[in-house]
Amino acid sequence: MPGRHKERHRLESISWLRAAVLGANDGIVSTASLVTGVASAHTAHGSIVLTAMAGLVAGAMSMATGEYVSVSSQADTEKAVLAQEQAELDADFPREHRELTAIYVRRGLDFPLARQVAEKLMAHDALGAHARDELGISKVTRARPLQAALASACRFSVGATLPAMIAALAPESVLLPATTLSALVSLGILGGLAAKAGGAKVGPGVIRVVFWSALAMGVSAGVGALFGAVA
């Protein structure tokens, strides 16, 4: 018996990959910018480390909170829409059958087959069929606030750990260039991996993330140096 053929497409990994890269990038850029800004103000090494750790924790909690609120709103909307769809099924089942049939016809099925498919699916799980094919809601895409919040906090923390460790371990004399260089290198690697996994050109992806990250850290360093000079 021939083995089952399972196709793999790059688009399948785009969603989670994009979220992972963006979360890690945010952690690296935010924390590295904090470190470079405070270090440029000629702050004591202990205060720089404290700033990095505070930035890591605050950033992770902020990401988790924002994601939880956003996804919770999405979950509330999904519940309301599903409740409305269930009410419509209870009120006029034949009409909902015709509606689902029309959806399958628009997707290319002949009317008799579309009607039969709609009948079978609605007999098995009417709300599930309408949620998936009419509303675009499935078990895979359902909003999960706690899971999303935890994942967002973890992604940010992973990225923020690098500049925080550099701030803690690097000698004060080379802390600023070490933080900047390590951040830009890691961001370039992340950008390249994301581009390659998504089938895009690696060069533009690397240049884009490195340029904007360098700009963010440069502005932070400039502000730190300005206020440090004033102080």
Side-chain angles (χ1 to χ4, degrees):
M1 180 178 179
R4 295 180 61 185
H5 173 65
K6 183 178 180 180
E7 294 185 352
R8 296 183 61 87
H9 300 286
R10 293 184 187 273
L11 288 176
E12 295 175 0
S13 63
I14 291 299
S15 180
W16 71 263
L17 180 62
R18 179 177 180 274
V21 170
L22 285 178
N25 280 0
D26 284 344
I28 295 172
V29 175
S30 298
T31 309
S33 295
L34 278 173
V35 171
T36 56
V38 175
S40 296
H42 306 292
T43 307
H45 186 256
S47 297
I48 296 174
V49 175
L50 179 60
T51 298
M53 297 307 299
L56 188 158
V57 175
M61 294 305 297
S62 176
M63 293 287 287
T65 301
E67 193 75 4
Y68 181 82
V69 171
S70 175
V71 178
S72 292
S73 298
Q74 179 186 342
D76 291 341
T77 301
E78 289 179 356
K79 290 178 181 178
V81 170
L82 290 173
Q84 179 182 354
E85 189 64 32
Q86 183 62 63
E88 293 175 355
L89 286 166
D90 295 338
D92 194 346
F93 195 87
R95 178 180 177 277
E96 294 301 306
H97 177 264
R98 293 193 296 272
E99 186 176 36
L100 194 61
T101 299
I103 291 173
Y104 296 145
V105 169
R106 288 196 296 270
R107 292 182 181 178
L109 296 182
D110 294 333
F111 178 77
L113 179 58
R115 182 172 58 184
Q116 183 180 10
V117 170
E119 181 179 352
K120 292 292 185 181
L121 291 177
M122 291 183 68
H124 174 67
D125 181 5
L127 181 60
H130 279 269
R132 181 180 60 254
D133 296 320
E134 180 185 351
L135 305 175
I137 300 173
S138 68
K139 291 182 179 179
V140 176
T141 61
R142 288 291 295 272
R144 297 177 177 85
L146 287 176
Q147 179 180 333
L150 180 61
S152 183
C154 289
R155 289 190 293 262
F156 183 94
S157 299
V158 168
T161 297
L162 174 66
M165 289 180 61
I166 296 296
L169 300 177
E172 191 172 355
S173 59
V174 297
L175 191 150
L176 189 57
T179 300
T180 303
L181 182 61
S182 62
L184 292 178
V185 170
S186 58
L187 286 165
I189 292 173
L190 279 177
L193 289 175
K196 186 174 182 180
K201 293 183 178 179
V202 173
V206 172
I207 293 173
R208 182 166 52 243
V209 70
V210 169
F211 172 79
W212 289 108
S213 300
L215 180 62
M217 285 184 278
V219 171
S220 299
V223 171
L226 176 64
F227 280 89
V230 172

